[in-house]
Amino acid sequence: AEPGARITYQLDLVVEGTGTARGVVLRDPVPPATTFVPGSLELDGAPLSDAQDGDAGGLLAAPARVELRLGDLPVGTARRARFAVTID
């Protein structure tokens, strides 16, 4: 990896067990020595804004992390999130 190289992270979530997972929030840190690529956050292939607003996701600061608020998910639900960073 070289400075300026872009890396895309993919997070796959599958609800297993019984019942419904309530109030699911998925958080993933932006790795050290990288910078989040604005506009790269998506959920199930749909773009999300980087702001903490009306959609399901956003970027939080201090420490930098992606957060996706997925709500209640029944067993068998599968969700896929992606975001990109560049190496500092």
Side-chain angles (χ1 to χ4, degrees):
E2 298 178 12
R6 183 175 173 148
I7 300 170
T8 299
Y9 288 93
Q10 179 170 300
L11 309 169
D12 292 315
L13 171 79
V14 177
V15 179
E16 297 180 346
T18 60
T20 297
R22 305 261 180 226
V24 176
V25 177
L26 178 63
R27 292 184 186 100
D28 195 54
V30 174
T34 68
T35 300
F36 177 81
V37 175
S40 66
L41 183 59
E42 59 182 55
L43 179 61
D44 299 329
L48 299 174
S49 70
D50 298 336
Q52 293 291 311
D53 53 17
D55 67 18
L59 179 68
L60 300 172
R65 62 201 182 280
V66 169
E67 179 178 272
L68 295 133
R69 298 167 305 283
L70 304 175
D72 297 345
L73 302 175
V75 170
T77 299
R79 305 300 301 263
R80 174 170 286 163
R82 293 177 61 145
F83 69 95
V85 300
T86 55
I87 298 173
D88 296 340

